[in-house]
Amino acid sequence: MAAANKLGLLSRSLSSTTQFVKPPVQVFGLEGRYATSLYSAASKLKQLDQVEKDLNALQVALKSNVSLRMAVTNPIINKKLMSNTLKETADKLKMAPATGNLLGLLADNGRLKNLDTVINAYKTIMAAHRGEVVCEVVTAKPLDSSQSKQLESALRSFLKGNQQLKITSRVDPSIIGGLIVSIGDKYVDMSIASKVKLYTDVITSSA
């Protein structure tokens, strides 16, 4: 069965109705497709908060437990065995059915290595569900207090109505300078690294 069909089943198989529940914000990429299907399934089962709680616990475990992290990213482990094991584990830990189904599906498709990014995508959807607008800011070095306040003021202009801004920051020296901002479903790359690449591509193509 194709992965796309299995994603649809993640939503349909957990509910008596096949009506798709559209998330409050669009998330892109492979992780976005899994997270969107999970949101639809959990919404119909009224398990949105429980699933988020399960995934938060899983994410903490992945970061703190090296053995678990190695197991879910090991491409040699039998997919079917891992799928069954994860479903049984989710059941024993009294996780929401939608959570167990997601883990089994990721294992079946050999996508467990994407679990962390799928969790982040689901958290983005849930933040929007609560009226929060998630914003990630990536800079080459930490911003000082004045810069942070200026940036937050600028980002608030994207908000509507009673929306709340939730900012997370991380440092990535590889962008050299400038910043990369993702807010809701918008993405803006103002890094020096991206400009260098652009100029390099232009020079190379005209050579």
Side-chain angles (χ1 to χ4, degrees), residues 45-57:
L45 287 173
K46 303 187 186 304
Q47 296 176 351
L48 288 172
D49 293 335
Q50 179 59 48
V51 168
E52 184 177 29
K53 181 180 177 181
D54 294 341
L55 296 182
N56 283 336

Side-chain angles (χ1 to χ4, degrees), residues 12 32 57 77 109 117 125 138 145 165 189-190 204:
R12 294 195 296 271
I77 294 179
N109 292 342
T117 55
I125 293 175
V138 182
S145 178
L165 186 63
D189 187 345
M190 297 177 285
T204 302

Side-chain angles (χ1 to χ4, degrees), residues 12-201:
R12 294 195 296 271
S13 66
L14 292 177
S15 177
S16 58
T17 175
T18 58
Q19 184 176 2
F20 181 78
V21 179
K22 186 178 180 180
V25 65
Q26 186 176 4
V27 283
F28 301 95
L30 178 72
E31 62 271 19
R33 294 197 296 273
Y34 278 99
T36 297
S37 295
L38 177 61
Y39 175 83
S40 180
S43 180
K44 286 181 282 187
L45 287 173
K46 303 187 186 304
Q47 296 176 351
L48 288 172
D49 293 335
Q50 179 59 48
V51 168
E52 184 177 29
K53 181 180 177 181
D54 294 341
L55 296 182
N56 283 336
L58 276 170
Q59 196 166 48
V60 170
L62 284 170
K63 290 179 180 178
S64 61
N65 190 320
V66 177
S67 297
L68 176 62
R69 188 164 64 248
M70 290 179 65
V72 300
T73 57
N74 188 341
I76 301 176
I77 294 179
N78 182 276
K79 294 178 183 178
K80 190 63 178 178
L81 176 61
M82 178 60 81
S83 175
N84 291 335
T85 300
L86 287 174
K87 286 179 182 178
E88 291 173 4
T89 301
D91 187 53
K92 289 179 181 178
L93 294 177
K94 300 188 184 304
M95 290 184 174
T99 305
N101 210 0
L102 169 72
L103 294 175
L105 181 61
L106 288 171
D108 284 338
N109 292 342
R111 298 292 186 181
L112 278 174
K113 61 183 179 182
N114 300 103
L115 178 57
D116 189 60
T117 55
V118 171
I119 292 174
N120 287 335
Y122 184 80
K123 288 164 71 172
T124 296
I125 293 175
M126 285 300 294
H129 176 77
R130 290 188 292 267
E132 300 170 356
V133 176
V134 176
C135 175
E136 182 184 53
V137 178
V138 182
T139 55
K141 60 182 181 179
L143 300 178
D144 60 34
S145 178
S146 176
Q147 292 171 325
S148 294
K149 288 180 180 178
Q150 290 179 6
L151 179 60
E152 182 175 347
S153 177
L155 292 172
R156 288 191 180 281
S157 65
F158 287 91
L159 303 183
K160 299 176 182 178
N162 297 320
Q163 289 181 328
Q164 302 172 28
L165 186 63
K166 188 174 181 180
I167 302 176
T168 59
S169 303
R170 65 183 177 90
V171 174
D172 182 359
S174 70
I175 72 171
I176 304 174
L179 70 164
I180 299 173
V181 177
S182 59
I183 178 168
D185 57 359
K186 299 177 178 64
Y187 179 86
V188 182
D189 187 345
M190 297 177 285
S191 67
I192 291 178
S194 68
K195 293 179 180 178
V196 170
K197 183 180 185 305
L198 174 62
Y199 297 150
T200 301
D201 289 345

